[in-house]
Amino acid sequence: GVTQSPTHLIKTRGQQVTLRCSSQSGHNTVSWYQQALGQGPQFIFQYYREEENGRGNFPPRFSGLQFPNDSSELNVNALELDDSALYLCASSTGTAETQYFGPGTRLLVL
Amino acid sequence: DAKTTQPTSMDCAEGRAANLPCNHSTISGNEYVYWYRQIHSQGPQYIIHGLKNNETNEMASLIITEDRKSSTLILPHATLRDTAVYYCIVARGSTGGFKTIFGAGTRLFVKA
């Protein structure tokens, strides 16, 4: 399945954070979502074969990388209090295929 | 991307069928209807999806109206473990990526 690390993280405002995701084997697409408490997941961006392939309404301080070994990263610079959320990654076999989600990383920004 | 409208919450008795409605009146011809559920802050779990025809799998059935403007997810024999937030999503693949837009979902409470 899809795994994410770490499970929980505490940072302070202004810091930078890197979240990691390991996709299901053979999945060439990974999408990242932010889920604030009590809300549905919000699409951040999607990576397909190591290239960004679509982006939601998030500023450039949210960036990502996808590697050939089924792993990917979400990087957030200059953390703000509102960045506190559950961050989810989802992998799929293609850009238009069913997505399978990881358990998420819960980020708290103080 | 089309938006969806779902009831905020629903109750269902254990062992009975749970019927979760979803309106997607602005759906485009190439957009699929997807259903996911999320149990207590875990990652969303894929349930089922469809384009035009009704679909059934081991978890649920999906009924899509002929005009595709609404659909219903049916859990045939709800159990306590089906208590979760259920998201109805319309999504399409495109050169801009498969942007999946989640709404607030329906919180289903299955009661003993």
Side-chain angles (χ1 to χ4, degrees):
Chain A
V2 180
T3 60
Q4 293 185 243
S5 62
T7 56
H8 295 81
L9 199 55
I10 300 175
K11 291 286 189 178
T12 56
R13 193 170 49 182
Q15 286 188 310
Q16 179 266 342
V17 68
T18 297
L19 310 181
R20 293 179 172 84
C21 173
S22 180
S23 302
Q24 281 189 212
S25 179
H27 284 192
N28 58 17
T29 304
V30 65
S31 301
W32 286 90
Y33 295 82
Q34 180 195 68
Q35 186 174 24
L37 204 60
Q39 299 181 19
Q42 301 299 306
F43 175 78
I44 302 175
F45 44 55
Q46 182 186 77
Y47 276 77
Y48 171 65
R49 293 183 175 177
E50 302 159 42
E51 298 280 339
E52 188 177 299
N53 188 45
R55 189 177 186 94
N57 189 26
F58 281 81
R61 60 189 185 86
F62 286 79
S63 63
L65 287 171
Q66 184 186 24
F67 305 102
N69 62 350
D70 295 333
S71 67
S72 57
E73 293 179 353
L74 165 66
N75 298 288
V76 186
N77 294 322
L79 284 167
E80 300 177 0
L81 298 179
D82 285 348
D83 295 333
S84 295
L86 180 68
Y87 287 86
L88 298 158
C89 75
S91 73
S92 55
T93 57
T95 60
E97 303 301 323
T98 300
Q99 298 177 67
Y100 295 90
F101 285 80
T105 293
R106 188 164 295 282
L107 173 65
L108 177 62
V109 181
L110 301 176
Chain B
D1 295 308
K3 292 186 178 180
T4 62
T5 304
Q6 299 178 252
T8 303
S9 66
M10 295 181 64
D11 290 345
C12 179
E14 190 178 22
R16 303 297 294 268
N19 296 284
L20 290 87
C22 179
N23 286 320
H24 31 79
S25 58
T26 60
I27 191 170
S28 300
N30 62 350
E31 288 184 312
Y32 287 78
V33 179
Y34 275 80
W35 284 83
Y36 287 83
R37 73 180 183 184
Q38 189 171 27
I39 298 173
H40 193 53
S41 293
Q42 296 177 20
Q45 176 190 22
Y46 166 77
I47 301 173
I48 199 167
H49 75 283
L51 183 63
K52 294 181 181 179
N53 300 322
N54 299 337
E55 302 287 344
T56 296
N57 63 19
E58 65 279 4
M59 288 183 68
S61 295
L62 173 60
I63 309 297
I64 303 174
T65 58
E66 192 169 344
D67 63 6
R68 302 186 72 237
K69 293 185 177 182
S70 65
S71 60
T72 301
L73 177 75
I74 302 172
L75 307 178
H77 304 288
T79 71
L80 299 179
R81 287 177 292 183
D82 292 323
T83 293
V85 178
Y86 287 77
Y87 295 102
C88 168
I89 300 151
V90 291
R92 58 180 169 83
S94 71
T95 55
F98 196 60
K99 299 178 183 180
T100 306
I101 299 175
F102 286 80
T106 295
R107 189 169 295 275
L108 175 68
F109 296 95
V110 180
K111 300 182 177 181

